[in-house]
Amino acid sequence: MRLAVIGLGRMGGNISRRLMRAGHEVVGFDHNEGHVAELASDGLLPAASLEEAAARLTTPRIFWIMLPAGAATEETVAELRSLSQAGDVIIDGGNSFFKDDIRRSKECASSGIHYLDVGTSGGIWGLDRGYCLMIGGEREIVELLDPIFNALAPGFGTIVPTPTRIGGDDRPELGYIHAGPAGAGHFVKMVHNGIEYGLMQAYAEGFDVLKGRGSEKVPESERFTLNLPDIAEVWRRGSVISSWLLDLCALELAGDHDLKEFSGRVADSGEGQWTVEAAMEEAIPANVLTAALFARYRSRQDDSFADKLLSAMRFGFGGHVEMPQ
């Protein structure tokens, strides 16, 4: 199949490469001309504008947007709507808010344009490992584009099938699902990322406790100087907490035991907050996910006003002095 990929950064670029490896034709556009030129050497059909990208496609034209959530995606969807005709398909493969997808789908449908939201997980490793895809939109369009999703997904790989899973759709075992109508794909990906925050925070706190056992705060007779790279490595093998995230911990710790390259100021891209908001709408307690999100906010503050007020209150009720710097 031939499609256009809009946004050729780390994710969009590797998505394009994986599609081309599978025999699909990819027309590519990015405001960064260097990204376009680099991929053109791999077989990408370059476009200098969205108009040119549209002109290089045959009907039904398929546009896959791989841009940051927010204004960049919103503006691109609007421009593609003006360039599209009935039967064309606009796919948002980024991390948009699911309620925006529901609105955009209705806006596109008013002109006969199809809209899919595709939550895409796999990061910079997806080129070789494949991408886990969570798709929202019309069933008929999802099925029409199955060759694209199948090419991007990891496939069966070496994961043993769930023994109690009998019959039904085999696409989940290949690494992609049709989650439901417009918005469902990004909703599932949003919660996926919220869970990711919690898992990452658990690993981070656990390794911090391990490292802290060598601190002078601990009685000398009870101190251990633990080898964190070795612990991460052994936990990867047969442990109930083994995971790809633990693999990444082991990789980074082996390269730098103290992680001196990193500041510890942790960003978030919005999905964690949206997950917590969804939990509040549904009256679902999400203690771990909420705490993990707030931990990221806290990581960006050195000395917060809240901490100063806490110290002031402790001094006020008990004369407690602050810890020395």
Side-chain angles (χ1 to χ4, degrees), residues 49-313:
S49 65
L50 291 177
E51 291 83 358
E52 184 178 353
R56 300 198 72 168
L57 298 176
T58 55
T59 55
R61 294 176 296 182
I62 305 162
F63 303 95
W64 184 300
I65 302 169
M66 209 66 203
L67 295 170
T73 295
E74 197 71 53
E75 292 165 7
T76 302
V77 170
E79 188 169 351
L80 288 176
R81 280 181 58 208
S82 68
L83 294 171
S84 298
Q85 58 192 31
D88 290 346
V89 183
I90 297 174
I91 303 169
D92 179 4
N95 281 323
S96 289
F97 186 39
F98 76 97
K99 293 183 181 181
D100 289 335
D101 293 309
I102 295 171
R103 170 180 52 79
R104 290 180 195 143
S105 176
K106 292 176 181 178
E107 292 169 349
C108 288
S110 67
S111 302
I113 301 164
H114 305 289
Y115 179 93
L116 300 182
D117 51 286
V118 180
T120 308
S121 181
I124 59 175
W125 304 83
L127 174 60
D128 297 315
R129 290 172 57 106
Y131 297 93
C132 174
L133 304 174
M134 297 142 268
I135 310 163
E138 302 162 81
R139 182 175 302 280
E140 295 78 8
I141 304 305
V142 174
E143 292 175 353
L144 174 68
L145 303 186
D146 188 77
I148 292 172
F149 302 133
N150 187 277
L152 290 173
F156 285 109
T158 59
I159 298 175
V160 177
T162 303
T164 52
R165 181 183 172 84
I166 302 172
D169 192 347
D170 65 352
R171 289 175 296 182
E173 293 180 343
L174 294 171
Y176 65 110
I177 61 168
H178 178 212
H186 276 153
F187 183 81
V188 174
K189 177 57 162 51
M190 176 191 79
V191 177
H192 163 285
N193 283 23
I195 293 170
E196 177 187 298
Y197 282 28
L199 292 172
M200 293 172 71
Q201 189 66 29
Y203 283 125
E205 292 177 7
F207 277 98
D208 204 13
V209 173
L210 292 171
K211 184 176 176 61
R213 190 33 62 167
S215 166
E216 293 182 358
K217 298 175 184 176
V218 176
E220 187 173 1
S221 62
E222 299 175 5
R223 292 178 200 164
F224 308 133
T225 301
L226 300 171
N227 188 312
L228 301 189
D230 282 358
I231 293 170
E233 192 64 32
V234 76
W235 282 352
R236 295 178 63 213
R237 304 168 192 281
S239 163
V240 297
I241 63 168
S242 60
S243 72
W244 184 28
L245 289 172
L246 182 60
D247 293 347
L248 297 177
C249 290
L251 179 67
E252 296 299 336
L253 287 168
D256 177 7
H257 186 286
D258 294 316
L259 302 178
K260 292 184 292 292
E261 293 181 33
F262 300 94
S263 70
R265 298 174 70 87
V266 188
D268 73 282
S269 52
E271 298 88 356
Q273 178 180 328
W274 298 336
T275 301
V276 171
E277 290 173 353
M280 292 171 65
E281 289 179 350
E282 300 163 17
I284 300 292
N287 302 13
V288 171
L289 307 189
T290 304
L293 174 66
F294 288 174
R296 294 199 176 195
Y297 294 162
R298 184 66 182 85
S299 76
R300 302 168 210 164
Q301 297 178 313
D302 295 322
D303 298 301
S304 73
F305 181 78
D307 290 337
K308 294 178 182 179
L309 186 56
L310 283 172
S311 288
M313 285 187 285

Side-chain angles (χ1 to χ4, degrees), residues 17-39:
R17 290 185 178 94
R18 188 169 175 90
L19 287 169
M20 290 188 289
R21 286 182 182 180
H24 296 283
E25 294 181 312
V26 178
V27 177
F29 169 69
D30 193 293
H31 289 293
N32 186 322
E33 295 178 359
H35 290 164
V36 179
E38 180 182 349
L39 282 157

